[in-house]
Amino acid sequence: MCAYDRLCALGADDTEADPAHWAALRSARAQRSRRKEAPERGDRRPSGETSSLVVVKPWEPQRFMVVGTLMDAARNHGQVLLTYDSQAGRHVATKRIPNAWICACPEEFAQQHPQETERPWADVLAVASLTGAAFPYVCGLVGVYRDEESTYI
């Protein structure tokens, strides 16, 4: 089990991770636990998806149709794409990051990029928790997907 899976399973309480990310996660989780049920706010949270565990799923090119490129994501060696989610019937922004750079999990990422200040896996977990808590100022996470070449967030 990689560190990312361990963090998800433990509720992201690993003190080795970036303190600012985990502070936001703990705050969002505490806020969610104070409510019996988080109220739905628009279509921020896809049904059946939780923030306590982010599962990397196979990329679904038949579901997510790339419309165009919104911008380069230089820090992540990728791009932000405008995609159409045919399942939800709406356009979504999708960050495409090469697998060679993002690696399989945070542990591998830290080993491969020890001097890097960018922490994509911590960012994913933070956004997933904030989405699950129906935090009003976050772009909701639809999911994390991967094909042979890229990871899509």
Side-chain angles (χ1 to χ4, degrees):
M1 174 182 289
C2 76
Y4 175 70
D5 292 332
R6 192 178 82 244
L7 286 173
C8 290
L10 295 174
D13 289 327
D14 191 327
T15 57
E16 295 175 16
D18 181 6
H21 286 290
W22 302 132
L25 290 175
R26 282 190 294 275
S27 174
R29 185 162 282 118
Q31 194 175 40
R32 185 179 63 216
S33 68
R34 280 186 224 119
R35 296 181 244 156
K36 288 187 176 184
E37 185 175 337
E40 289 295 323
R41 296 187 184 195
D43 54 2
R44 289 190 172 280
R45 182 174 47 185
S47 61
E49 188 168 311
T50 66
S51 64
S52 61
L53 180 62
V54 176
V55 177
V56 178
K57 304 174 224 172
W59 176 242
E60 300 177 41
Q62 68 284 358
R63 174 180 171 185
F64 299 103
M65 296 169 272
V66 177
V67 176
T69 301
L70 295 173
M71 65 185 292
D72 287 332
R75 296 271 306 159
N76 289 297
H77 304 273
Q79 297 176 312
V80 178
L81 307 172
L82 176 63
T83 57
Y84 182 75
D85 180 350
S86 61
Q87 183 176 323
R90 64 185 176 141
H91 287 92
V92 295
T94 304
K95 187 180 282 187
R96 177 175 57 196
I97 304 170
N99 291 337
W101 187 78
I102 195 170
C103 304
C105 68
E107 206 166 67
E108 183 183 337
F109 182 85
Q111 290 172 355
Q112 295 293 321
H113 311 285
Q115 302 301 315
E116 182 59 61
T117 58
E118 188 75 14
R119 306 187 107 189
W121 292 106
D123 294 342
V124 167
L125 192 53
V127 170
S129 286
L130 292 170
T131 299
F135 187 72
Y137 306 107
V138 68
C139 291
L141 181 68
V142 174
V144 180
Y145 299 85
R146 178 175 280 210
D147 64 17
E148 291 180 15
E149 296 176 8
S150 301
T151 297
Y152 303 84
I153 302 167

